[in-house]
Amino acid sequence: MNLSLARERLYGGVGVGLAAPRVTLDAERADAVVCDDPLVADYASRVCDLLDVPGARIAVEETLPRHVGLGSGTQVALATLAAVAGAYDRAPRVRERAPALGRGGRSGVGVATFEGGGFVVDAGHPTERFTTAAPADGEWTVPPVTARHDLPEEWRALLVLPEAPTGRSGEQEDASMRAVVERADPTVADEAAGILARRLLPAAATGDLDAFGRAVGEFGRLNGAWYADAQGGVYRPPAGELVEALGGEPGVVGVGQSSWGPAVYGLTSADRAGAAREAGEAALDVAGVGGEVRVVPLASAGARVE
């Protein structure tokens, strides 16, 4: 919602949880961490230290593509935490422990959707806490949720994942974000706040897909304006070509780029899912890139531990 130091609260994530793709792990107690996936193994070691347990044997059954704009890092970290905690009959306390895993710093959307799914708006952080250097893991709290709505069951998300270089992450992402914050135009934040309060939240509350989509599309373009210098345009290539190609499709609304991309999303409904998928494939052809197209349900609930 805001990247300007001229406003009282900084960041403020806006997003929605998806039912797929997802992370599925199987964990059991062990004397050490045993896992073939290096990222999960790293998080598992940190989780075992947090929980003061000796180890876990973890099998990765499903996972998210990394650094494409789908929040994979947070979901993998929290899924690992929940799995290991479950193996030891412990409460995962994901909101409390996410910062120690390096998650939930700027945006609280990934943590909130892991907890309960839905369409989520978080409060961000007081601007006076901003520092030019990134804080160490654990030196923050996850932003609180200020609004959450379950969206209609028949709504679907179109995901277009082009074969393109992965988006920014880690230290590179952090440096880019801080550079943007230090020169961000506060009038963009004011316009974004108006869209959120007067259009996006009312459309979510009333289940108006077309109005919600129009507001999402405009909100995404405003966010892209902040990052234009850092990513080479309002949308990072080839996302811009995909967004343009999908913009005129009657079965898809709310088209935009997720995070640093290259993932492009749109909204549709169950009865228009086939047409939306065809539109996504046609957009890849127009952009001249390969990729994957999926139409997936939205998440109405959080993670499940069995």
Side-chain angles (χ1 to χ4, degrees), residues 85-101:
Y88 283 92
D89 299 319
R90 305 278 186 87
R93 307 207 313 254
V94 294
R95 180 166 290 270
E96 174 188 331
R97 290 174 169 143
L101 298 175

Side-chain angles (χ1 to χ4, degrees), residues 24-262:
T24 305
L25 307 178
D26 183 81
E28 59 185 37
R29 299 182 188 187
D31 293 332
V33 171
V34 180
C35 182
D36 292 336
D37 185 301
L39 180 63
V40 174
D42 178 63
Y43 279 127
S45 295
R46 298 170 72 173
V47 167
C48 288
D49 288 341
L50 282 173
L51 299 178
D52 194 23
V53 298
R57 184 181 302 275
I58 303 174
V60 180
E61 299 177 4
E62 298 177 86
T63 193
L64 293 171
R66 295 188 64 195
H67 307 320
V68 300
L70 295 181
S72 63
T74 297
Q75 300 311 306
V76 169
L78 299 185
T80 304
L81 169 60
V84 175
Y88 283 92
D89 299 319
R90 305 278 186 87
R93 307 207 313 254
V94 294
R95 180 166 290 270
E96 174 188 331
R97 290 174 169 143
L101 298 175
R103 315 311 306 183
R106 278 181 298 271
S107 171
V109 171
V111 175
T113 53
F114 188 90
E115 292 175 314
F119 169 65
V120 171
V121 179
D122 76 57
H125 296 282
T127 302
E128 58 265 25
R129 294 183 188 170
F130 177 78
T131 56
T132 55
D137 289 354
E139 292 184 357
W140 62 77
T141 56
V142 178
V145 173
T146 56
R148 182 196 172 279
H149 289 279
D150 283 324
L151 299 177
E153 185 179 350
E154 66 271 15
W155 287 17
R156 297 289 185 270
L158 168 68
L159 295 179
V160 181
L161 307 177
E163 294 174 354
T166 56
R168 301 186 184 203
S169 62
E171 293 181 0
Q172 182 189 35
E173 178 187 18
D174 190 79
S176 296
M177 288 287 295
R178 290 174 185 280
V180 170
V181 166
E182 289 168 2
R183 62 173 185 272
D185 180 357
T187 62
V188 176
D190 298 338
E191 191 172 349
I195 292 172
L196 179 70
R198 294 191 292 270
R199 297 172 55 191
L200 199 50
L201 286 172
T206 59
D208 188 331
L209 176 59
D210 289 338
F212 187 86
R214 289 192 298 270
V216 164
E218 193 166 338
F219 196 89
R221 283 191 294 275
L222 282 176
N223 269 259
W226 267 319
Y227 300 112
D229 290 342
Q231 65 181 5
V234 172
Y235 304 108
R236 178 180 153 229
E241 293 178 87
L242 297 173
V243 171
E244 183 178 5
L246 288 168
E249 293 293 333
V252 183
V253 294
V255 180
Q257 173 183 301
S258 185
S259 186
W260 290 101

